[in-house]
Amino acid sequence: MKRIRYTKYNGELADDMDLEDLMQQLSEYLLDSGFQDPYARFQELNGEHTLENLREALREALELGDFDPDIRERLDQMAAEGEIDQLIDKLVRRMEQQDYVRIDQPADPTQPSNSPGQVGEGEGQARFEVTDKSLDFLGYKTLQDLLGSLGRSSAGRHDTLHQATGVETNGSVRPYEFGDTLNLDANATLAAAMTAQAANSDGDGVTWPIEIDYPHLHVQQSDYQSSCATVVMLDCSHSMILYGEDRFTPAKRVAMALSHLIRTQYPGDTLNVVLFHDSAEEVPVSQIARVKVGPHYTNTREGLRLARSILNRQRKEMRQIVMITDGKPSALTLPDGRIYKNAFGLDPLVLSETLEEVARCRRAGILINTFMLATDPGLVQFVQRVSAMCRGKAYFTTPQTLGNYLMMDFLNRKMKTVH
């Protein structure tokens, strides 16, 4: 009689490890914003995305990361046997195969080149790039943490108290009106046609065929759901990593989480990202995690102008600007393109031009909600005036609570009737 003997499976540890858990362990390194903290993890790597730095980050994550007891025991055993380097190489290959990272090898100086010029003797370093799949996963994990802290397991669309003839019905019907979506309620329509026919039959009752005309049409009603266009204005001036704390990385994480939430739960909404510093520019949502802090000044007016221009192109019932900043306006783009800068107090010229842009946003029906990461008196005074002008909200928050405040504001907005 043939027998089969079963033994404990001892597969490759590199294949058994969950790459998503590993990516979460590496998130501080992958989302580095340029903050120099001697006590932070991966600080000695300076945020450089070289292949050697990726190996060192993996080594540190494997040594200090939080893993299951079985995985931790196997890691300690491999470390004692000097096999960690082989494990890291296999993990890098697996991360590349599953599209978490993309590795660019340096050109081989011994091979002929098709480009003009001569190849120097310097040694190039292999580099890697974080893929959109990795950034989307990190945004999802941030969103999961934020919604978990708010006591929410899922989020739906922007429900309102108003009713319309949409797709998701709520059980009620009404007579059809010109312009309604033709979600006919067959029972109510037939009942109206039969009642009208019986009333006009001189007591003969309902006869066949039943003629249905426009007055008989009834449509099912649904809960009206509005769509929203959002521009996140991220202050990436140098002050976001000064004064002993990193304020920019938490802001990036929240923007990534908001992007994931809108794409997966609010498909009718749009999200754009504007960075403002000495000037302002729009960046693709997929590039948020790769952004680092820039120049020293804060050109709030240029950021608002660009955000308003983006929202004016959107045909949505709701349009809003979410501004995350830690500094008062200190720069202004002049008509000739030069940038006027003054970091001392609230400059009257900078303040007046910025508030004029706020007024333009208000006239365009754009709401501005501001999340302040500092309590500088100049910033408080400016934000209070912005909130009073556009009837928006101002939140005094910290990098640790920014995500909670922003998500609560986004999920709990009250909708207005759109006629």
Side-chain angles (χ1 to χ4, degrees), residues 304-305 307-309 311-312 319-321 354-369 384-392 416:
L304 289 171
R305 185 198 63 79
R308 179 173 58 86
S309 175
L311 290 174
N312 281 340
R319 295 180 296 170
Q320 69 165 355
I321 295 173
T354 305
L355 292 178
E356 177 58 32
E357 188 59 45
V358 173
R360 294 190 186 99
C361 291
R362 180 194 61 198
R363 290 193 292 270
I366 297 172
L367 182 70
I368 302 175
N369 289 335
Q384 287 175 341
R385 296 187 64 176
V386 170
S387 301
M389 290 179 65
C390 66
R391 297 187 179 92
K416 63 180 181 180

PDB file of all heavy atoms in Angstrom, residues 304-305 307-309 311-312 319-321 354-369 384-392 416:
ATOM      1  N   LEU A 304      -4.224  80.294  -4.705  1.00  0.00           N
ATOM      2  CA  LEU A 304      -5.670  80.470  -4.825  1.00  0.00           C
ATOM      3  C   LEU A 304      -6.075  80.780  -6.263  1.00  0.00           C
ATOM      4  O   LEU A 304      -7.101  80.297  -6.753  1.00  0.00           O
ATOM      5  CB  LEU A 304      -6.129  81.605  -3.898  1.00  0.00           C
ATOM      6  CG  LEU A 304      -6.095  81.310  -2.390  1.00  0.00           C
ATOM      7  CD1 LEU A 304      -6.356  82.583  -1.603  1.00  0.00           C
ATOM      8  CD2 LEU A 304      -7.113  80.241  -2.020  1.00  0.00           C
ATOM      9  N   ARG A 305      -5.269  81.601  -6.943  1.00  0.00           N
ATOM     10  CA  ARG A 305      -5.593  81.947  -8.333  1.00  0.00           C
ATOM     11  C   ARG A 305      -5.578  80.704  -9.218  1.00  0.00           C
ATOM     12  O   ARG A 305      -6.490  80.498 -10.029  1.00  0.00           O
ATOM     13  CB  ARG A 305      -4.579  82.972  -8.859  1.00  0.00           C
ATOM     14  CG  ARG A 305      -4.901  83.494 -10.253  1.00  0.00           C
ATOM     15  CD  ARG A 305      -3.700  84.130 -10.893  1.00  0.00           C
ATOM     16  NE  ARG A 305      -2.630  83.163 -11.085  1.00  0.00           N
ATOM     17  CZ  ARG A 305      -2.611  82.279 -12.081  1.00  0.00           C
ATOM     18  NH1 ARG A 305      -3.604  82.206 -12.949  1.00  0.00           N
ATOM     19  NH2 ARG A 305      -1.604  81.429 -12.189  1.00  0.00           N
ATOM     20  N   ALA A 307      -5.918  77.548  -8.187  1.00  0.00           N
ATOM     21  CA  ALA A 307      -7.007  76.659  -7.769  1.00  0.00           C
ATOM     22  C   ALA A 307      -8.345  77.141  -8.330  1.00  0.00           C
ATOM     23  O   ALA A 307      -9.166  76.327  -8.792  1.00  0.00           O
ATOM     24  CB  ALA A 307      -7.070  76.591  -6.240  1.00  0.00           C
ATOM     25  N   ARG A 308      -8.576  78.446  -8.306  1.00  0.00           N
ATOM     26  CA  ARG A 308      -9.826  78.983  -8.860  1.00  0.00           C
ATOM     27  C   ARG A 308      -9.920  78.712 -10.353  1.00  0.00           C
ATOM     28  O   ARG A 308     -10.996  78.370 -10.878  1.00  0.00           O
ATOM     29  CB  ARG A 308      -9.907  80.489  -8.585  1.00  0.00           C
ATOM     30  CG  ARG A 308     -11.150  81.158  -9.149  1.00  0.00           C
ATOM     31  CD  ARG A 308     -11.247  82.608  -8.687  1.00  0.00           C
ATOM     32  NE  ARG A 308     -10.078  83.368  -9.076  1.00  0.00           N
ATOM     33  CZ  ARG A 308      -9.931  83.977 -10.272  1.00  0.00           C
ATOM     34  NH1 ARG A 308     -10.902  83.885 -11.176  1.00  0.00           N
ATOM     35  NH2 ARG A 308      -8.841  84.672 -10.540  1.00  0.00           N
ATOM     36  N   SER A 309      -8.804  78.853 -11.064  1.00  0.00           N
ATOM     37  CA  SER A 309      -8.792  78.583 -12.504  1.00  0.00           C
ATOM     38  C   SER A 309      -9.143  77.129 -12.786  1.00  0.00           C
ATOM     39  O   SER A 309      -9.890  76.825 -13.724  1.00  0.00           O
ATOM     40  CB  SER A 309      -7.412  78.916 -13.083  1.00  0.00           C
ATOM     41  OG  SER A 309      -7.324  78.557 -14.439  1.00  0.00           O
ATOM     42  N   LEU A 311     -10.946  75.074 -10.808  1.00  0.00           N
ATOM     43  CA  LEU A 311     -12.332  74.809 -10.437  1.00  0.00           C
ATOM     44  C   LEU A 311     -13.313  75.452 -11.409  1.00  0.00           C
ATOM     45  O   LEU A 311     -14.426  74.938 -11.594  1.00  0.00           O
ATOM     46  CB  LEU A 311     -12.590  75.315  -9.009  1.00  0.00           C
ATOM     47  CG  LEU A 311     -11.894  74.518  -7.903  1.00  0.00           C
ATOM     48  CD1 LEU A 311     -12.109  75.193  -6.559  1.00  0.00           C
ATOM     49  CD2 LEU A 311     -12.414  73.085  -7.856  1.00  0.00           C
ATOM     50  N   ASN A 312     -12.939  76.563 -12.030  1.00  0.00           N
ATOM     51  CA  ASN A 312     -13.826  77.205 -12.999  1.00  0.00           C
ATOM     52  C   ASN A 312     -14.063  76.320 -14.224  1.00  0.00           C
ATOM     53  O   ASN A 312     -15.039  76.508 -14.953  1.00  0.00           O
ATOM     54  CB  ASN A 312     -13.261  78.557 -13.429  1.00  0.00           C
ATOM     55  CG  ASN A 312     -13.520  79.636 -12.398  1.00  0.00           C
ATOM     56  OD1 ASN A 312     -14.399  79.510 -11.555  1.00  0.00           O
ATOM     57  ND2 ASN A 312     -12.750  80.705 -12.451  1.00  0.00           N
ATOM     58  N   ARG A 319     -17.980  73.192  -5.353  1.00  0.00           N
ATOM     59  CA  ARG A 319     -16.571  73.426  -5.655  1.00  0.00           C
ATOM     60  C   ARG A 319     -15.913  73.982  -4.398  1.00  0.00           C
ATOM     61  O   ARG A 319     -16.420  74.925  -3.792  1.00  0.00           O
ATOM     62  CB  ARG A 319     -16.414  74.402  -6.828  1.00  0.00           C
ATOM     63  CG  ARG A 319     -16.956  73.846  -8.148  1.00  0.00           C
ATOM     64  CD  ARG A 319     -16.784  74.831  -9.279  1.00  0.00           C
ATOM     65  NE  ARG A 319     -17.553  76.040  -9.051  1.00  0.00           N
ATOM     66  CZ  ARG A 319     -17.443  77.147  -9.793  1.00  0.00           C
ATOM     67  NH1 ARG A 319     -16.579  77.191 -10.793  1.00  0.00           N
ATOM     68  NH2 ARG A 319     -18.188  78.205  -9.538  1.00  0.00           N
ATOM     69  N   GLN A 320     -14.800  73.388  -4.032  1.00  0.00           N
ATOM     70  CA  GLN A 320     -14.166  73.825  -2.793  1.00  0.00           C
ATOM     71  C   GLN A 320     -12.649  73.754  -2.897  1.00  0.00           C
ATOM     72  O   GLN A 320     -12.089  72.984  -3.684  1.00  0.00           O
ATOM     73  CB  GLN A 320     -14.641  72.965  -1.620  1.00  0.00           C
ATOM     74  CG  GLN A 320     -14.145  71.521  -1.665  1.00  0.00           C
ATOM     75  CD  GLN A 320     -14.329  70.813  -0.341  1.00  0.00           C
ATOM     76  OE1 GLN A 320     -14.735  71.404   0.644  1.00  0.00           O
ATOM     77  NE2 GLN A 320     -14.012  69.529  -0.312  1.00  0.00           N
ATOM     78  N   ILE A 321     -11.999  74.571  -2.066  1.00  0.00           N
ATOM     79  CA  ILE A 321     -10.540  74.569  -1.913  1.00  0.00           C
ATOM     80  C   ILE A 321     -10.234  74.132  -0.488  1.00  0.00           C
ATOM     81  O   ILE A 321     -10.795  74.669   0.468  1.00  0.00           O
ATOM     82  CB  ILE A 321      -9.944  75.962  -2.180  1.00  0.00           C
ATOM     83  CG1 ILE A 321     -10.151  76.365  -3.644  1.00  0.00           C
ATOM     84  CG2 ILE A 321      -8.459  75.991  -1.836  1.00  0.00           C
ATOM     85  CD1 ILE A 321      -9.733  77.803  -3.945  1.00  0.00           C
ATOM     86  N   THR A 354      -4.019  89.131  -1.822  1.00  0.00           N
ATOM     87  CA  THR A 354      -4.475  87.781  -1.472  1.00  0.00           C
ATOM     88  C   THR A 354      -5.949  87.784  -1.114  1.00  0.00           C
ATOM     89  O   THR A 354      -6.715  86.909  -1.546  1.00  0.00           O
ATOM     90  CB  THR A 354      -3.639  87.220  -0.307  1.00  0.00           C
ATOM     91  OG1 THR A 354      -2.248  87.257  -0.642  1.00  0.00           O
ATOM     92  CG2 THR A 354      -4.037  85.793  -0.002  1.00  0.00           C
ATOM     93  N   LEU A 355      -6.386  88.771  -0.326  1.00  0.00           N
ATOM     94  CA  LEU A 355      -7.796  88.850   0.049  1.00  0.00           C
ATOM     95  C   LEU A 355      -8.675  89.171  -1.161  1.00  0.00           C
ATOM     96  O   LEU A 355      -9.838  88.737  -1.225  1.00  0.00           O
ATOM     97  CB  LEU A 355      -7.988  89.896   1.149  1.00  0.00           C
ATOM     98  CG  LEU A 355      -7.385  89.538   2.510  1.00  0.00           C
ATOM     99  CD1 LEU A 355      -7.600  90.656   3.504  1.00  0.00           C
ATOM    100  CD2 LEU A 355      -7.975  88.235   3.042  1.00  0.00           C
ATOM    101  N   GLU A 356      -8.148  89.914  -2.127  1.00  0.00           N
ATOM    102  CA  GLU A 356      -8.900  90.154  -3.360  1.00  0.00           C
ATOM    103  C   GLU A 356      -9.125  88.851  -4.118  1.00  0.00           C
ATOM    104  O   GLU A 356     -10.201  88.625  -4.704  1.00  0.00           O
ATOM    105  CB  GLU A 356      -8.155  91.153  -4.238  1.00  0.00           C
ATOM    106  CG  GLU A 356      -8.820  91.429  -5.582  1.00  0.00           C
ATOM    107  CD  GLU A 356     -10.241  91.955  -5.455  1.00  0.00           C
ATOM    108  OE1 GLU A 356     -10.537  92.668  -4.464  1.00  0.00           O
ATOM    109  OE2 GLU A 356     -11.065  91.642  -6.332  1.00  0.00           O
ATOM    110  N   GLU A 357      -8.127  87.955  -4.103  1.00  0.00           N
ATOM    111  CA  GLU A 357      -8.290  86.648  -4.740  1.00  0.00           C
ATOM    112  C   GLU A 357      -9.314  85.816  -3.989  1.00  0.00           C
ATOM    113  O   GLU A 357     -10.097  85.061  -4.594  1.00  0.00           O
ATOM    114  CB  GLU A 357      -6.945  85.927  -4.814  1.00  0.00           C
ATOM    115  CG  GLU A 357      -6.970  84.646  -5.618  1.00  0.00           C
ATOM    116  CD  GLU A 357      -7.413  84.871  -7.057  1.00  0.00           C
ATOM    117  OE1 GLU A 357      -6.933  85.839  -7.688  1.00  0.00           O
ATOM    118  OE2 GLU A 357      -8.253  84.078  -7.541  1.00  0.00           O
ATOM    119  N   VAL A 358      -9.329  85.924  -2.649  1.00  0.00           N
ATOM    120  CA  VAL A 358     -10.356  85.239  -1.852  1.00  0.00           C
ATOM    121  C   VAL A 358     -11.744  85.731  -2.253  1.00  0.00           C
ATOM    122  O   VAL A 358     -12.690  84.936  -2.386  1.00  0.00           O
ATOM    123  CB  VAL A 358     -10.111  85.471  -0.348  1.00  0.00           C
ATOM    124  CG1 VAL A 358     -11.271  84.920   0.482  1.00  0.00           C
ATOM    125  CG2 VAL A 358      -8.810  84.799   0.086  1.00  0.00           C
ATOM    126  N   ALA A 359     -11.880  87.043  -2.468  1.00  0.00           N
ATOM    127  CA  ALA A 359     -13.163  87.607  -2.881  1.00  0.00           C
ATOM    128  C   ALA A 359     -13.582  87.061  -4.248  1.00  0.00           C
ATOM    129  O   ALA A 359     -14.769  86.805  -4.484  1.00  0.00           O
ATOM    130  CB  ALA A 359     -13.083  89.128  -2.913  1.00  0.00           C
ATOM    131  N   ARG A 360     -12.640  86.884  -5.161  1.00  0.00           N
ATOM    132  CA  ARG A 360     -12.965  86.306  -6.470  1.00  0.00           C
ATOM    133  C   ARG A 360     -13.467  84.870  -6.314  1.00  0.00           C
ATOM    134  O   ARG A 360     -14.388  84.457  -7.021  1.00  0.00           O
ATOM    135  CB  ARG A 360     -11.739  86.344  -7.381  1.00  0.00           C
ATOM    136  CG  ARG A 360     -11.282  87.748  -7.771  1.00  0.00           C
ATOM    137  CD  ARG A 360     -10.224  87.691  -8.863  1.00  0.00           C
ATOM    138  NE  ARG A 360      -9.676  89.004  -9.147  1.00  0.00           N
ATOM    139  CZ  ARG A 360      -8.531  89.473  -8.677  1.00  0.00           C
ATOM    140  NH1 ARG A 360      -7.777  88.697  -7.886  1.00  0.00           N
ATOM    141  NH2 ARG A 360      -8.113  90.688  -8.976  1.00  0.00           N
ATOM    142  N   CYS A 361     -12.853  84.123  -5.410  1.00  0.00           N
ATOM    143  CA  CYS A 361     -13.317  82.755  -5.153  1.00  0.00           C
ATOM    144  C   CYS A 361     -14.748  82.770  -4.609  1.00  0.00           C
ATOM    145  O   CYS A 361     -15.586  81.950  -5.009  1.00  0.00           O
ATOM    146  CB  CYS A 361     -12.386  82.051  -4.179  1.00  0.00           C
ATOM    147  SG  CYS A 361     -10.741  81.669  -4.832  1.00  0.00           S
ATOM    148  N   ARG A 362     -15.029  83.698  -3.717  1.00  0.00           N
ATOM    149  CA  ARG A 362     -16.377  83.779  -3.153  1.00  0.00           C
ATOM    150  C   ARG A 362     -17.393  84.113  -4.242  1.00  0.00           C
ATOM    151  O   ARG A 362     -18.468  83.512  -4.309  1.00  0.00           O
ATOM    152  CB  ARG A 362     -16.410  84.845  -2.062  1.00  0.00           C
ATOM    153  CG  ARG A 362     -17.771  85.021  -1.391  1.00  0.00           C
ATOM    154  CD  ARG A 362     -17.827  86.297  -0.589  1.00  0.00           C
ATOM    155  NE  ARG A 362     -17.626  87.452  -1.463  1.00  0.00           N
ATOM    156  CZ  ARG A 362     -17.285  88.663  -1.044  1.00  0.00           C
ATOM    157  NH1 ARG A 362     -17.095  88.878   0.248  1.00  0.00           N
ATOM    158  NH2 ARG A 362     -17.131  89.656  -1.892  1.00  0.00           N
ATOM    159  N   ARG A 363     -17.060  85.064  -5.123  1.00  0.00           N
ATOM    160  CA  ARG A 363     -17.991  85.432  -6.191  1.00  0.00           C
ATOM    161  C   ARG A 363     -18.206  84.281  -7.172  1.00  0.00           C
ATOM    162  O   ARG A 363     -19.260  84.179  -7.812  1.00  0.00           O
ATOM    163  CB  ARG A 363     -17.469  86.665  -6.934  1.00  0.00           C
ATOM    164  CG  ARG A 363     -17.519  87.942  -6.109  1.00  0.00           C
ATOM    165  CD  ARG A 363     -17.309  89.159  -6.977  1.00  0.00           C
ATOM    166  NE  ARG A 363     -15.961  89.230  -7.504  1.00  0.00           N
ATOM    167  CZ  ARG A 363     -14.943  89.845  -6.912  1.00  0.00           C
ATOM    168  NH1 ARG A 363     -15.136  90.442  -5.714  1.00  0.00           N
ATOM    169  NH2 ARG A 363     -13.750  89.882  -7.456  1.00  0.00           N
ATOM    170  N   ALA A 364     -17.212  83.398  -7.295  1.00  0.00           N
ATOM    171  CA  ALA A 364     -17.346  82.232  -8.172  1.00  0.00           C
ATOM    172  C   ALA A 364     -18.059  81.070  -7.487  1.00  0.00           C
ATOM    173  O   ALA A 364     -18.228  80.014  -8.091  1.00  0.00           O
ATOM    174  CB  ALA A 364     -15.965  81.781  -8.654  1.00  0.00           C
ATOM    175  N   GLY A 365     -18.467  81.249  -6.227  1.00  0.00           N
ATOM    176  CA  GLY A 365     -19.164  80.198  -5.500  1.00  0.00           C
ATOM    177  C   GLY A 365     -18.247  79.106  -4.984  1.00  0.00           C
ATOM    178  O   GLY A 365     -18.697  77.969  -4.767  1.00  0.00           O
ATOM    179  N   ILE A 366     -16.980  79.422  -4.753  1.00  0.00           N
ATOM    180  CA  ILE A 366     -15.996  78.437  -4.303  1.00  0.00           C
ATOM    181  C   ILE A 366     -15.786  78.582  -2.801  1.00  0.00           C
ATOM    182  O   ILE A 366     -15.487  79.682  -2.307  1.00  0.00           O
ATOM    183  CB  ILE A 366     -14.651  78.621  -5.045  1.00  0.00           C
ATOM    184  CG1 ILE A 366     -14.849  78.379  -6.549  1.00  0.00           C
ATOM    185  CG2 ILE A 366     -13.586  77.683  -4.491  1.00  0.00           C
ATOM    186  CD1 ILE A 366     -13.629  78.721  -7.386  1.00  0.00           C
ATOM    187  N   LEU A 367     -15.939  77.492  -2.077  1.00  0.00           N
ATOM    188  CA  LEU A 367     -15.738  77.476  -0.627  1.00  0.00           C
ATOM    189  C   LEU A 367     -14.266  77.232  -0.324  1.00  0.00           C
ATOM    190  O   LEU A 367     -13.602  76.441  -1.000  1.00  0.00           O
ATOM    191  CB  LEU A 367     -16.591  76.367  -0.011  1.00  0.00           C
ATOM    192  CG  LEU A 367     -16.556  76.214   1.508  1.00  0.00           C
ATOM    193  CD1 LEU A 367     -17.265  77.383   2.178  1.00  0.00           C
ATOM    194  CD2 LEU A 367     -17.220  74.898   1.918  1.00  0.00           C
ATOM    195  N   ILE A 368     -13.741  77.903   0.696  1.00  0.00           N
ATOM    196  CA  ILE A 368     -12.349  77.718   1.113  1.00  0.00           C
ATOM    197  C   ILE A 368     -12.341  77.258   2.564  1.00  0.00           C
ATOM    198  O   ILE A 368     -12.780  77.991   3.460  1.00  0.00           O
ATOM    199  CB  ILE A 368     -11.530  79.019   0.971  1.00  0.00           C
ATOM    200  CG1 ILE A 368     -11.557  79.525  -0.467  1.00  0.00           C
ATOM    201  CG2 ILE A 368     -10.086  78.787   1.426  1.00  0.00           C
ATOM    202  CD1 ILE A 368     -10.858  80.874  -0.643  1.00  0.00           C
ATOM    203  N   ASN A 369     -11.851  76.056   2.798  1.00  0.00           N
ATOM    204  CA  ASN A 369     -11.643  75.538   4.146  1.00  0.00           C
ATOM    205  C   ASN A 369     -10.143  75.475   4.411  1.00  0.00           C
ATOM    206  O   ASN A 369      -9.391  74.924   3.608  1.00  0.00           O
ATOM    207  CB  ASN A 369     -12.254  74.151   4.315  1.00  0.00           C
ATOM    208  CG  ASN A 369     -13.772  74.196   4.340  1.00  0.00           C
ATOM    209  OD1 ASN A 369     -14.362  75.218   4.688  1.00  0.00           O
ATOM    210  ND2 ASN A 369     -14.415  73.111   3.963  1.00  0.00           N
ATOM    211  N   GLN A 384      -8.703  84.033   9.717  1.00  0.00           N
ATOM    212  CA  GLN A 384      -9.990  84.503  10.210  1.00  0.00           C
ATOM    213  C   GLN A 384     -10.677  85.400   9.183  1.00  0.00           C
ATOM    214  O   GLN A 384     -11.892  85.313   8.974  1.00  0.00           O
ATOM    215  CB  GLN A 384      -9.798  85.248  11.535  1.00  0.00           C
ATOM    216  CG  GLN A 384      -9.493  84.328  12.710  1.00  0.00           C
ATOM    217  CD  GLN A 384      -9.185  85.088  13.982  1.00  0.00           C
ATOM    218  OE1 GLN A 384      -8.853  86.281  13.942  1.00  0.00           O
ATOM    219  NE2 GLN A 384      -9.273  84.409  15.112  1.00  0.00           N
ATOM    220  N   ARG A 385      -9.913  86.240   8.510  1.00  0.00           N
ATOM    221  CA  ARG A 385     -10.498  87.105   7.488  1.00  0.00           C
ATOM    222  C   ARG A 385     -10.950  86.293   6.274  1.00  0.00           C
ATOM    223  O   ARG A 385     -11.992  86.555   5.679  1.00  0.00           O
ATOM    224  CB  ARG A 385      -9.487  88.183   7.074  1.00  0.00           C
ATOM    225  CG  ARG A 385      -9.139  89.134   8.199  1.00  0.00           C
ATOM    226  CD  ARG A 385      -8.282  90.286   7.742  1.00  0.00           C
ATOM    227  NE  ARG A 385      -8.974  91.152   6.777  1.00  0.00           N
ATOM    228  CZ  ARG A 385      -8.447  92.272   6.294  1.00  0.00           C
ATOM    229  NH1 ARG A 385      -7.229  92.651   6.687  1.00  0.00           N
ATOM    230  NH2 ARG A 385      -9.105  93.014   5.435  1.00  0.00           N
ATOM    231  N   VAL A 386     -10.157  85.274   5.897  1.00  0.00           N
ATOM    232  CA  VAL A 386     -10.550  84.419   4.783  1.00  0.00           C
ATOM    233  C   VAL A 386     -11.861  83.705   5.097  1.00  0.00           C
ATOM    234  O   VAL A 386     -12.782  83.650   4.263  1.00  0.00           O
ATOM    235  CB  VAL A 386      -9.438  83.394   4.471  1.00  0.00           C
ATOM    236  CG1 VAL A 386      -9.931  82.354   3.476  1.00  0.00           C
ATOM    237  CG2 VAL A 386      -8.197  84.098   3.926  1.00  0.00           C
ATOM    238  N   SER A 387     -11.978  83.147   6.295  1.00  0.00           N
ATOM    239  CA  SER A 387     -13.183  82.408   6.676  1.00  0.00           C
ATOM    240  C   SER A 387     -14.395  83.321   6.705  1.00  0.00           C
ATOM    241  O   SER A 387     -15.498  82.931   6.300  1.00  0.00           O
ATOM    242  CB  SER A 387     -12.983  81.748   8.046  1.00  0.00           C
ATOM    243  OG  SER A 387     -11.882  80.861   8.021  1.00  0.00           O
ATOM    244  N   ALA A 388     -14.222  84.561   7.198  1.00  0.00           N
ATOM    245  CA  ALA A 388     -15.338  85.490   7.251  1.00  0.00           C
ATOM    246  C   ALA A 388     -15.796  85.893   5.855  1.00  0.00           C
ATOM    247  O   ALA A 388     -16.996  86.062   5.609  1.00  0.00           O
ATOM    248  CB  ALA A 388     -14.942  86.728   8.050  1.00  0.00           C
ATOM    249  N   MET A 389     -14.854  86.016   4.920  1.00  0.00           N
ATOM    250  CA  MET A 389     -15.199  86.464   3.573  1.00  0.00           C
ATOM    251  C   MET A 389     -15.926  85.383   2.774  1.00  0.00           C
ATOM    252  O   MET A 389     -16.876  85.676   2.051  1.00  0.00           O
ATOM    253  CB  MET A 389     -13.939  86.896   2.823  1.00  0.00           C
ATOM    254  CG  MET A 389     -13.326  88.186   3.337  1.00  0.00           C
ATOM    255  SD  MET A 389     -11.819  88.632   2.433  1.00  0.00           S
ATOM    256  CE  MET A 389     -12.472  88.927   0.794  1.00  0.00           C
ATOM    257  N   CYS A 390     -15.475  84.129   2.876  1.00  0.00           N
ATOM    258  CA  CYS A 390     -16.046  83.077   2.015  1.00  0.00           C
ATOM    259  C   CYS A 390     -16.924  82.101   2.779  1.00  0.00           C
ATOM    260  O   CYS A 390     -17.330  81.075   2.226  1.00  0.00           O
ATOM    261  CB  CYS A 390     -14.925  82.326   1.302  1.00  0.00           C
ATOM    262  SG  CYS A 390     -13.875  81.389   2.417  1.00  0.00           S
ATOM    263  N   ARG A 391     -17.203  82.393   4.051  1.00  0.00           N
ATOM    264  CA  ARG A 391     -18.042  81.531   4.900  1.00  0.00           C
ATOM    265  C   ARG A 391     -17.495  80.106   4.967  1.00  0.00           C
ATOM    266  O   ARG A 391     -18.253  79.137   5.062  1.00  0.00           O
ATOM    267  CB  ARG A 391     -19.490  81.514   4.403  1.00  0.00           C
ATOM    268  CG  ARG A 391     -20.176  82.863   4.456  1.00  0.00           C
ATOM    269  CD  ARG A 391     -21.656  82.738   4.105  1.00  0.00           C
ATOM    270  NE  ARG A 391     -22.309  84.036   4.176  1.00  0.00           N
ATOM    271  CZ  ARG A 391     -22.446  84.862   3.146  1.00  0.00           C
ATOM    272  NH1 ARG A 391     -21.932  84.520   1.975  1.00  0.00           N
ATOM    273  NH2 ARG A 391     -23.059  86.007   3.267  1.00  0.00           N
ATOM    274  N   GLY A 392     -16.201  79.973   4.908  1.00  0.00           N
ATOM    275  CA  GLY A 392     -15.571  78.672   5.040  1.00  0.00           C
ATOM    276  C   GLY A 392     -15.251  78.371   6.495  1.00  0.00           C
ATOM    277  O   GLY A 392     -15.638  79.097   7.407  1.00  0.00           O
ATOM    278  N   LYS A 416     -26.193  71.862  -0.289  1.00  0.00           N
ATOM    279  CA  LYS A 416     -27.239  72.841  -0.579  1.00  0.00           C
ATOM    280  C   LYS A 416     -28.052  72.364  -1.781  1.00  0.00           C
ATOM    281  O   LYS A 416     -27.587  71.587  -2.599  1.00  0.00           O
ATOM    282  CB  LYS A 416     -26.630  74.210  -0.870  1.00  0.00           C
ATOM    283  CG  LYS A 416     -25.744  74.247  -2.112  1.00  0.00           C
ATOM    284  CD  LYS A 416     -25.178  75.633  -2.344  1.00  0.00           C
ATOM    285  CE  LYS A 416     -24.312  75.689  -3.600  1.00  0.00           C
ATOM    286  NZ  LYS A 416     -23.746  77.009  -3.844  1.00  0.00           N
TER     287      LYS A 416
END
